[in-house]
Amino acid sequence: MAKITLCCYKMENEIHLLTIATQSGKQESIFTSGFPIWVLGNDKKINRINKGDFFMPRQINVGIIGAGWPAWQHIKGYQKLENVKVLALCDINKEILTKIAREYNLPKTFTKYEDMLKLKEIDAVSVCTPNFQHVPQVIDSLNAGKHVICEKPLSVNTEEANKIVEPLRKSKKKFMIAQVKRFANESRYLRKLINDNELGRIYYSKIKYLRRAGIPGIGSW
């Protein structure tokens, strides 16, 4: 495989360095900016390169444990992402499992999450079950070699949550709590103020969150 370094120009005349590996007539690139781009090749010609001309990152296959409302949000989010496929869904309620799998066109279903974790092609797992089930399912997923995103809260108490620390360290996988508020505009703005030192040294903070009871159109817990 021969490597060549090219000088790439975007429409705004920003200059980037791009390394292209050529094999069997195809090209692969670590370039991640917007397409199309224009490349000055070894032949001194300017060539237009479109997004489809490159190998994109390989598909990430996801398995979801639990088929309730949180799982629906995970499925819809994943299906908006390029190169991500929800490969499997698991729930002990076979009727709901079948209904959701059909609605979102999911290829594989399981009633036991342990069986789903045996699929080697699954890269990551979303844990969307009742709170008391989170810790054992997260640990089993990590031990199976999967990256994990777990619905909030992580566990019902600190003692349970601490059980995840060692399996996570040994697995060397990515783990995240699906605490969406950290990505809300107000949270991101507050983080910017802190990073820009607009608030000075912070000694204490207290945050309250006021909202209506329940979710419009869905109801309450």
Side-chain angles (χ1 to χ4, degrees):
M1 180 182 292
K3 284 193 174 183
I4 54 175
T5 300
L6 306 176
C7 188
C8 297
Y9 296 85
K10 291 181 64 179
M11 287 295 289
E12 300 81 9
N13 293 323
E14 298 177 26
I15 299 177
H16 305 267
L17 286 178
L18 171 66
T19 299
I20 296 180
T22 303
Q23 184 179 40
S24 302
K26 294 184 179 180
Q27 295 173 315
E28 183 173 7
S29 173
I30 59 172
F31 188 84
T32 57
S33 297
F35 287 87
I37 57 176
W38 282 259
V39 176
L40 177 62
N42 292 341
D43 56 2
K44 305 301 182 183
K45 293 182 179 180
I46 300 292
N47 302 297
R48 175 182 171 125
I49 296 182
N50 297 305
K51 189 174 184 179
D53 295 333
F54 292 92
F55 290 133
M56 301 306 292
R58 74 172 183 84
Q59 177 176 284
I60 297 174
N61 294 318
V62 177
I64 298 180
I65 305 176
W69 184 83
W72 310 345
Q73 313 315 308
H74 283 236
I75 294 170
K76 288 185 284 189
Y78 286 131
Q79 291 184 338
K80 291 179 181 179
L81 298 175
E82 189 175 2
N83 303 313
V84 176
K85 180 179 181 180
V86 180
L87 185 66
L89 179 66
C90 175
D91 198 280
I92 59 174
N93 188 318
K94 197 167 184 177
E95 182 180 350
I96 293 177
L97 176 65
T98 302
K99 177 180 180 296
I100 300 303
R102 286 177 179 172
E103 182 176 346
Y104 292 101
N105 194 29
L106 308 182
K108 298 179 183 293
T109 58
F110 297 85
T111 54
K112 294 182 178 180
Y113 77 88
E114 295 91 344
D115 292 336
M116 187 187 77
L117 293 178
K118 293 177 183 178
L119 291 180
K120 293 183 179 180
E121 55 264 49
I122 287 182
D123 303 294
V125 171
S126 276
V127 176
C128 303
T129 49
N131 301 342
F132 71 93
Q133 295 179 321
H134 288 177
V135 170
Q137 292 172 351
V138 167
I139 291 175
D140 287 344
S141 298
L142 291 171
N143 288 340
K146 317 300 183 186
H147 302 288
V148 182
I149 179 169
C150 178
E151 263 300 328
K152 59 185 186 298
L154 171 58
S155 69
V156 294
N157 56 56
T158 305
E159 183 181 0
E160 280 290 299
N162 285 335
K163 293 179 181 179
I164 292 176
V165 175
E166 189 61 18
L168 176 59
R169 185 188 66 80
K170 289 182 177 180
S171 72
K172 298 182 180 180
K173 296 298 179 179
K174 302 293 185 183
F175 173 69
M176 176 182 170
I177 302 296
Q179 177 51 267
V180 295
K181 272 299 173 183
R182 71 177 60 175
F183 302 107
N185 289 335
E186 58 269 26
S187 301
R188 295 167 67 181
Y189 180 67
L190 181 59
R191 180 180 176 84
K192 183 179 185 303
L193 291 178
I194 294 172
N195 289 342
D196 292 345
N197 201 32
E198 293 288 338
L199 304 179
R201 185 175 180 181
I202 299 175
Y203 295 92
Y204 174 79
S205 66
K206 185 175 182 179
I207 299 174
K208 291 185 178 181
Y209 179 47
L210 181 65
R211 56 162 289 173
R212 74 184 76 191
I215 301 175
I218 296 178
S220 187
W221 285 267

